Amino acid sequence: MSIWSSIADFLTQTAYSAFSGVIEAVRTYFEGDAETRRRVAFSIAMIALSAKMAKADGIVSQHEVRAFQDIFEVPEKEADHVSRLYNLAKQDVAGFESYARQIASLCRSSQQNGADEPCGALSDVLDGLFYIAKADGYVHDKEMQFLRRVAEIFGIEEDEFLLIAGRHVNLGPSDPYAVLGLTRGVGFTEAKQHYRKLVRQNHPDLVIARGMPYEFQKIANHRLAAINAAWATLEKQLGQHDYAG
């Protein structure tokens, strides 16, 4: 059963009047199935953060709503259930920070290697939020502030935040270096080794290995495409420079 079917079944059998009630109901409804509970909770928390971010610039764009449904590959028959949750989250008086803390806590508590280790799935979530934010063609200042605050709550360092942002936002003359997390002046061999490491670390299969729902793989597909495109540009630049010398 897909995550969206599980969410649909859950919504038809539970009563709630606020989004906070939905999150609390997940804990009890899926009590006997920890794996499904984790996937559903991740998905619902992601819906909440996306809805709150869409309001950050004061305008809820249909581009952003469609971007959410696109990146998470919501089946048409389940779209109404997702829209209900999305709208409920927009109307909820609770701030986005509470949802960010819940998803951070969920991620760390579900790690197999200990809660003190960085939770890679949180970077996947931030990546997805950036994808949605840029859906209307521009990441607004208030959206960037929102994303920075989410990153802080997630414990994502500034360097990693800029690396993620560089895949979605034009950060200036450092592109494509920002996309790959490289500094100008790096040699061709070192850059290529770093690129290959990024490809291994960001393979779509690792999204699942990090504990994210299967439906979230599209985040990694977009991320890997951005990394490959940046390397294609940089390879020409560095290759020409090295061989000319």
Side-chain angles (χ1 to χ4, degrees):
M1 179 181 291
S2 76
I3 194 66
W4 307 117
S5 296
S6 296
I7 289 175
D9 288 347
F10 161 70
L11 292 177
T12 56
Q13 298 186 46
T14 56
Y16 54 86
S17 57
F19 199 90
S20 56
V22 176
I23 295 177
E24 186 58 35
V26 169
R27 300 178 186 276
T28 55
Y29 187 82
F30 296 101
E31 187 175 4
D33 187 349
E35 175 67 15
T36 300
R37 182 179 64 219
R38 177 183 55 75
R39 292 174 62 209
V40 169
F42 253 127
S43 303
I44 289 178
M46 189 70 200
I47 291 171
L49 288 178
S50 299
K52 292 296 186 182
M53 183 183 64
K55 292 183 64 178
D57 60 359
I59 302 172
V60 181
S61 165
Q62 285 303 309
H63 293 291
E64 292 168 324
V65 177
R66 285 195 294 269
F68 178 88
Q69 294 184 344
D70 172 55
I71 197 170
F72 298 115
E73 300 185 334
V74 180
E76 186 175 351
K77 65 179 181 178
E78 311 294 358
D80 286 346
H81 294 294
V82 175
S83 294
R84 282 172 55 201
L85 284 175
Y86 193 92
N87 291 329
L88 193 64
K90 283 191 302 182
Q91 298 162 8
D92 194 12
V93 295
F96 73 90
E97 293 180 339
S98 64
Y99 299 131
R101 292 190 184 97
Q102 285 178 332
I103 199 170
S105 176
L106 171 67
C107 189
R108 292 172 186 136
S109 65
S110 65
Q111 290 186 129
Q112 296 181 350
N113 57 349
D116 292 334
E117 293 294 323
C119 184
L122 295 176
S123 296
D124 296 324
V125 171
L126 188 63
D127 221 347
L129 289 172
F130 262 107
Y131 179 87
I132 294 166
K134 72 175 183 182
D136 57 359
Y138 178 71
V139 178
H140 300 268
D141 290 341
K142 288 185 178 179
E143 288 175 324
M144 185 63 79
Q145 293 172 14
F146 175 98
L147 292 163
R148 280 191 176 277
R149 180 56 184 145
V150 169
E152 289 175 5
I153 294 172
F154 284 179
I156 293 175
E157 300 291 339
E158 179 69 5
D159 287 349
E160 185 177 1
F161 176 83
L162 292 176
L163 182 63
I164 295 171
R167 293 195 285 264
H168 302 279
V169 182
N170 185 355
L171 299 177
S174 59
D175 283 350
Y177 291 86
V179 177
L180 300 172
L182 291 169
T183 57
R184 289 187 177 276
V186 66
F188 180 83
T189 300
E190 181 183 350
K192 188 171 185 178
Q193 289 174 344
H194 180 75
Y195 159 70
R196 287 177 171 173
K197 179 181 178 181
L198 284 179
V199 170
R200 290 193 300 271
Q201 291 177 339
N202 292 284
H203 191 281
D205 287 348
L206 287 184
V207 173
I208 306 306
R210 285 196 287 262
M212 295 292 282
Y214 305 120
E215 293 78 7
F216 285 30
Q217 275 191 319
K218 203 164 188 177
I219 296 173
N221 289 334
H222 284 283
R223 180 166 59 230
L224 194 57
I227 290 171
N228 286 332
W231 173 247
T233 299
L234 199 58
E235 183 179 29
K236 294 177 182 178
Q237 297 176 9
L238 293 178
Q240 290 173 358
H241 176 78
D242 280 17
Y243 298 144

